[in-house]
Each structure stands twice: as structure tokens, then as C-alpha cells.
Amino acid sequence: LAVTRLTRVLQLGALTAMLVWVLGYLGGLSLSPRPTAPDGSANDTSQLFNWHPLLITVAFPVLMAEAVLAYKSPLVPMSDRPHAKLYHLVLHTLALVCTVLGVVAAFKSHTLKKPTPMADLYSSHSYLGLATLSLLGFQYLLAAYSYLFPKLTLARRRALGPLHSYLGKAILVAGLATMAVGIQEKQTFVQAFAKPASLYEPRMWLPGLIQLLLLATGLAVLYHHA
Amino acid sequence: LAVTRLTRVLQLGALTAMLVWVLGYLGGLSLSPRPTAPDGSANDTSQLFNWHPLLITVAFPVLMAEAVLAYKSPLVPMSDRPHAKLYHLVLHTLALVCTVLGVVAAFKSHTLKKPTPMADLYSSHSYLGLATLSLLGFQYLLAAYSYLFPKLTLARRRALGPLHSYLGKAILVAGLATMAVGIQEKQTFVQAFAKPASLYEPRMWLPGLIQLLLLATGLAVLYHHA
Ligand code: HEM
Ligand code: HEM
Ligand code: HEM
Ligand code: HEM
Ligand SMILES: O=C1O[C@H]([C@@H](O)CO)C(O)=C1O
């Protein structure tokens, strides 16, 4: 299908654009804060923070998008429904792990900041993020309980299908929207604190490009479910 | 239906919260810039800008959400399908007018700023906004052409139904997401430039509440289409 191929291009495009932003313009990646004073009394946690957008890009527009396509147009052809189910489960589990690690990176970049730790949960982005995470956790646990450990009767599992599918699509969209909001927050931090010479240089327009790619990825994935 | 009643509460909640933010914390509304120098050489355009979030709140979570429910659970009961169609058309037309006026207010607040006009189209929010507007304009024109002036055969109109419905839901969601991004941009402007005494005072957490209400409104409206 042409739309399926387009979807892959968009997913890859979003990941690539995020990598370029993070590695080329936001200072790259590091697993620990970078000391900025010889005695270690001050540091820069932005390279630790950068895992946050990167891991979440791997989680939502890449892994979770693929998981939501698992029964319709998987990248790896599936021989039968049990295989598609396993593929769906593995992808969602990897997406969940990346999301949690990504959010931990954001919190750590705040609490490990020296000389003074940064505040937590002050932005509307972080509220929206927690709401999305709650929906995701609820969906994952409910799905594990209902489909994985066969505790529910077949009739009940059948009845749950539409709700699981609705909520699953909603969570993918809510995640992409939360990402767009976080991208705007970071862009405005750059604008307000790093004060770029021009508002139209690449580190200012790249975030806009990423948002457009996320919008297009969402449209393309959900077109398969229209 | 309980979900339909909940939807109304959420739509009203989002509008109310936006009104409180705009009127109570962002300086209120005005149709023209407020001079800040006796000779008129400097001004404050923020009250003109404030029409932007307010009109767009009226457009998306209020009018367009109702338009998308027109065939399923209209607020005003519809006697037959032609009436529902007219209701759908009127609501979308009003939503489009409010959206355009809202975007004009944002541009005017930039170009009328003194002593120097502000830059246009530098934020990722504004790119995403233009993308959403393009989708909306396309959908509106295509729908007017196909359904209103009966230029297409019945078979073709039937065939267009699923695409129109898919794109319609996508545009509502894209608009709510663009709103959430714009709300974050404004919140970060307040954080960075107005420097509130605490990051947890109402003018900092109200935007987060509005975003959560928009998320919940989107979930509730689309539940009718699940
Ligand atoms: C599903 C996607 C996402 C979720 C669930 C999420 C969640 C969160 C949470 C919970 C925080 C608060 C951390 C704290 O209070 O210490 C946070 C912070 C942050 N996030 Fe995200 N995030 C997501 C995507 C993104 C993306 C793609 C970016 C792009 C740069 C981003 C930018 C930020 C920024 C700049 C902060 C630090 C400022 C603040 O606390 O608001 N986020 N995120
Ligand atoms: C323990 C984890 C999960 C398991 C075992 C699981 C299992 C399943 C099963 C059995 C179906 C088919 C349901 C049916 O057609 O009646 C399904 C569909 C679906 N799941 Fe999951 N799921 C899990 C997690 C998730 C998560 C976390 C999401 C999204 C956040 C999600 C999104 C979806 C979607 C959108 C569909 C519909 C796919 C389609 O119709 O092509 N799932 N899942
Ligand atoms: C569908 C919804 C929306 C659309 C299509 C949209 C579109 C736009 C556009 C095109 C601009 C650029 C104006 C210029 O360059 O002069 C803009 C600016 C702005 N918008 Fe929105 N907007 C939406 C919702 C919102 C909401 C709800 C807020 C909340 C406060 C908001 C906050 C802003 C801010 C702060 C600016 C000025 C800074 C900038 O140019 O980015 N927007 N919007
Ligand atoms: C000239 C303007 C418009 C006209 C004349 C119009 C007409 C229609 C008609 C005739 C249907 C029923 C289609 C069917 O069931 O086969 C419909 C459904 C729908 N329209 Fe529109 N439309 C217009 C604009 C829009 C716009 C701008 C949007 C969204 C941005 C939209 C969103 C929807 C949705 C989501 C449905 C599905 C509703 C449902 O199944 O309950 N429409 N429209
Ligand atoms: O990357 C970040 O940017 C802001 C802040 O450092 C801006 O100065 C913040 O809280 C982050 O985690």
C-alpha cells in the first residue's frame, strides 16, 4: 500500500529530524551531568535531558505507531494472528520502556542540576505528559490482564476489543500531541534563554519541522484505521 | 447518554477555564492596541492578542466539536437528516469564521506592535497552526463542492463519506493539539518574561488545566465515533 510506505518514510523522517535537533543543535547526549566548575559544584544537565525527547521519539512515532499497525500492515510480515499479537505486545512493551526511561531522564536532569536542582512539574507540558502516561499505564495493565493471562472469557475479550482499540489510538495521538507541546516548550526556552541571532535559523525551525512530521505520521497511521 | 452529557461539561469547562485565564491573568480583551506612551509611540498589543486563544477556543472545542456530533448527539434535537446537515454546516461555518478571526488577531498583535513590529511565523506552534488551517480550508472547500452544490453524483458523495469523516475528526484533533502547543508557548513566555514569583501560582497552572480539559474533550467527542 502506498500509504503504508509513506507512513514508514514519515516515521523515519521524524526520528531523523529529532536526532539532528538533539545531536546537532541541543548539545548531544550523555548519561550523566557534565561538570562546569572544576570542583563539581556546578553542572550542565542538558545532555542528560536530551534523552527525554529522543527516547520518546523512539517510543511514540516509531515503536507505538508500528504496534498500532501490527494487525494491519506490519513492517515484518506476520504468518498468523498469534504472531501479530506477539509482535504487538513486544512493540508496546519496548515503547513503554523507552517512554518511562525518557521521563526518568527529564526528572533526573532537573534533580541532578547543580548548584540548585530545577523545579518539577511546573509546565502544562508535564501535566499533559502525566495524563498521557496514566492512560498508557491503564491501557497496558488492562490489556495484559484481559488478553495475556486469559482471565476473561472469550465473550468479554471480544467486548473489550473496541474499547482497547479506541483507547490505543487515542493514546498514540495524545503522545504525539504531548510531544508537540514539549517541543514548543524547548523551542521557547531556546528563544528566551539562548537568544539566537535570528528567529529563522535551523535550531529555531527544526522543531517546527519535527511537529509537522509528527502530525503527518499520526494522520498516516490512523488512515489505516479510518 | 452519559458520555454526551460529560462532553458538554468538558466543552463548557474548557471555555470557562480559557475565559478565566484570558480575563483574569493575561490582561483581558481589547479590539485595538493600548498606547503605553503619551505620544502613541509605544503600545501593548497583548489584549488584542488575547482574542486569538479565546476565539479559537470557541471555534474548536465548542463549535467544531458540536459540528462533529451533529449527526450523532446534537445539543438541539434534529427532526431529520437535512436539518442535521444544515446544523453541521452552520456550526462548521461559524467555527471557520472564529478561527480565521482568531488567527488575524494573532498577526495583528504582531504587526501593530510599537515601537517595533514583532516577527511572524517563527514558532513551531505557528507552523503547526498553518498546517491545521490548510487541512481545514481544504476540507471545507471539498465538502462545500461535494455536498452543497450537488455537483457530484450520489455514488461519488457516498464514496467520499469515509474520507470526509476521517479528515474531519483528524482536523478537530489537530486543532486541539495546536491549541495545546500554543498554550504551552504562552505559558513559557509568562514564565520567561513576566517571571512569576512562584512556578505554581494560578497563572502558571491554569494553562495545564486547560490542556487537560482539551484532552478530555477530544477523548469524549471521539468516543461517539469509536
Ligand atoms: C509522550 C511524550 C512525552 C511525555 C509523556 C513527557 C513528559 C514529561 C514530564 C512528565 C516532564 C516533567 C519532568 C519534571 O517535572 O521534572 C517533562 C519535562 C520536559 N519535557 Fe517532556 N514529555 C514528552 C515528550 C517531550 C518531547 C518530545 C520534548 C521535546 C523537547 C519534551 C520536552 C520537555 C521539556 C523541555 C521538559 C522540561 C521542562 C518541564 O518540566 O516542563 N517532552 N516531560
Ligand atoms: C499487554 C499489552 C497488550 C496486549 C496483550 C494487546 C493485545 C491486543 C489484541 C489482542 C488486540 C486485538 C483486539 C481485537 O481485535 O479484538 C489489540 C488491538 C489493538 N491494540 Fe493492543 N494490546 C496491548 C497493549 C496495547 C497498547 C499499550 C496500545 C496503545 C497504547 C494498544 C493499541 C491497540 C490498537 C490500536 C489495536 C487495534 C488494532 C487494529 O484493529 O488493527 N494495545 N491489542
Ligand atoms: C487551532 C488553533 C490555533 C491555530 C491554528 C493557531 C495559529 C497561530 C498562528 C498562525 C500564529 C502566528 C501568528 C504570527 O506569526 O504573527 C499563532 C501565534 C500564536 N499563538 Fe496560536 N493558534 C492556535 C491556538 C492557539 C492557542 C489556544 C493559544 C494559547 C494561548 C495560542 C498561542 C499563540 C501565541 C502565544 C502566538 C504568538 C507567538 C507565535 O507567533 O508563535 N495559539 N497562532
Ligand atoms: C461545507 C461544509 C460541510 C458540509 C456541507 C459537510 C457535510 C457533511 C455530510 C453530508 C456528512 C455526512 C457524510 C456521510 O455520512 O456520508 C458529514 C459528516 C461529517 N463531517 Fe462534514 N461537512 C462540511 C464540513 C466539515 C468540516 C469542516 C469538518 C471538520 C473539520 C467536517 C467533519 C465531519 C465529520 C467528522 C463527519 C462524520 C459525522 C458522523 O459520522 O457522525 N465536516 N459532513
Ligand atoms: O532542557 C531544559 O530546559 C529547561 C531549562 O533548563 C531552561 O533554562 C529545563 O527545565 C530543561 O530541562
Side-chain angles (χ1 to χ4, degrees):
Chain A
L1 211 75
V3 181
T4 306
R5 272 197 300 264
L6 176 64
T7 311
R8 304 317 180 189
V9 173
L10 291 169
Q11 289 174 282
L12 213 69
L15 180 61
T16 308
M18 181 56 85
L19 275 168
V20 172
W21 192 34
V22 158
L23 298 177
Y25 296 96
L26 295 178
L29 299 162
S30 160
L31 282 175
S32 50
R34 194 172 53 80
T36 52
D39 63 351
S41 66
N43 66 16
D44 177 1
T45 59
S46 61
Q47 287 143 311
L48 175 56
F49 169 82
N50 286 345
W51 285 104
H52 177 64
L54 184 59
L55 283 168
I56 281 175
T57 305
V58 172
F60 281 79
V62 178
L63 295 170
M64 195 184 289
E66 178 64 17
V68 163
L69 293 174
Y71 298 101
K72 298 221 149 68
S73 327
L75 200 57
V76 188
M78 291 292 131
S79 52
D80 55 16
R81 191 151 170 101
H83 279 89
K85 233 169 174 162
L86 184 63
Y87 187 63
H88 181 77
L89 170 64
V90 169
L91 285 164
H92 273 306
T93 305
L94 291 174
L96 185 63
V97 170
C98 288
T99 303
V100 170
L101 290 176
V103 171
V104 168
F107 278 97
K108 283 278 165 202
S109 79
H110 286 182
T111 49
L112 295 180
K113 176 73 185 168
K114 286 179 185 172
T116 22
M118 285 190 240
D120 290 315
L121 301 178
Y122 57 82
S123 67
S124 53
H125 164 70
S126 62
Y127 292 25
L128 194 61
L130 289 192
T132 301
L133 278 182
S134 311
L135 291 173
L136 176 58
F138 173 77
Q139 167 88 335
Y140 192 91
L141 291 178
L142 186 67
Y145 175 79
S146 347
Y147 296 120
L148 220 55
F149 317 104
K151 291 209 177 141
L152 296 191
T153 61
L154 188 62
R156 288 197 166 211
R157 273 186 282 159
R158 285 254 162 84
L160 219 68
L163 181 70
H164 179 76
S165 174
Y166 155 76
L167 202 59
K169 289 176 267 176
I171 288 165
L172 175 63
V173 170
L176 296 175
T178 304
M179 289 182 65
V181 174
I183 289 166
Q184 178 63 63
E185 186 180 22
K186 189 71 188 179
Q187 192 204 27
T188 305
F189 282 150
V190 169
Q191 177 187 345
F193 301 119
K195 300 202 189 300
S198 156
L199 291 175
Y200 305 99
E201 58 184 55
R203 72 175 154 156
M204 283 301 282
W205 60 251
L206 250 174
L209 177 67
I210 300 173
Q211 284 182 352
L212 294 180
L213 288 167
L214 294 178
L215 171 65
T217 303
L219 286 172
V221 170
L222 292 188
Y223 186 78
H224 292 83
H225 288 262
Chain B
L1 211 77
V3 181
T4 306
R5 272 197 300 265
L6 176 64
T7 312
R8 304 318 180 187
V9 173
L10 292 168
Q11 290 173 281
L12 211 71
L15 179 60
T16 308
M18 181 56 86
L19 276 169
V20 171
W21 193 32
V22 159
L23 298 177
Y25 296 95
L26 296 178
L29 299 163
S30 159
L31 282 175
S32 49
R34 195 172 52 79
T36 52
D39 63 350
S41 66
N43 65 16
D44 177 1
T45 59
S46 62
Q47 288 142 309
L48 175 55
F49 169 82
N50 286 345
W51 285 104
H52 177 64
L54 184 59
L55 282 168
I56 281 174
T57 305
V58 172
F60 281 78
V62 178
L63 294 171
M64 194 185 289
E66 177 65 17
V68 164
L69 292 174
Y71 298 101
K72 297 220 150 67
S73 327
L75 201 57
V76 187
M78 291 292 129
S79 51
D80 55 18
R81 194 154 167 97
H83 279 88
K85 232 169 173 162
L86 182 64
Y87 187 62
H88 181 77
L89 170 65
V90 168
L91 286 164
H92 273 306
T93 305
L94 291 174
L96 186 63
V97 170
C98 288
T99 304
V100 171
L101 290 176
V103 171
V104 169
F107 278 99
K108 284 279 165 200
S109 78
H110 286 181
T111 50
L112 294 180
K113 177 73 186 167
K114 285 180 187 170
T116 23
M118 287 190 239
D120 290 315
L121 301 178
Y122 57 81
S123 67
S124 56
H125 163 70
S126 61
Y127 292 25
L128 195 61
L130 290 191
T132 302
L133 278 182
S134 312
L135 291 172
L136 177 58
F138 173 77
Q139 167 88 337
Y140 192 91
L141 291 178
L142 186 67
Y145 175 78
S146 348
Y147 296 120
L148 220 55
F149 318 105
K151 291 210 177 138
L152 296 191
T153 61
L154 187 61
R156 289 196 168 215
R157 272 185 282 158
R158 284 254 162 84
L160 218 69
L163 180 70
H164 179 76
S165 174
Y166 155 76
L167 203 60
K169 288 177 266 177
I171 289 166
L172 175 62
V173 170
L176 296 175
T178 305
M179 288 182 65
V181 173
I183 289 166
Q184 178 63 64
E185 186 179 21
K186 189 72 188 181
Q187 191 204 25
T188 306
F189 282 152
V190 170
Q191 178 187 345
F193 301 119
K195 300 204 190 299
S198 156
L199 291 175
Y200 305 100
E201 57 186 54
R203 74 174 154 157
M204 283 300 284
W205 60 253
L206 249 175
L209 177 67
I210 300 173
Q211 284 183 352
L212 295 180
L213 288 167
L214 294 178
L215 171 65
T217 303
L219 286 172
V221 170
L222 292 188
Y223 187 79
H224 292 83
H225 289 262

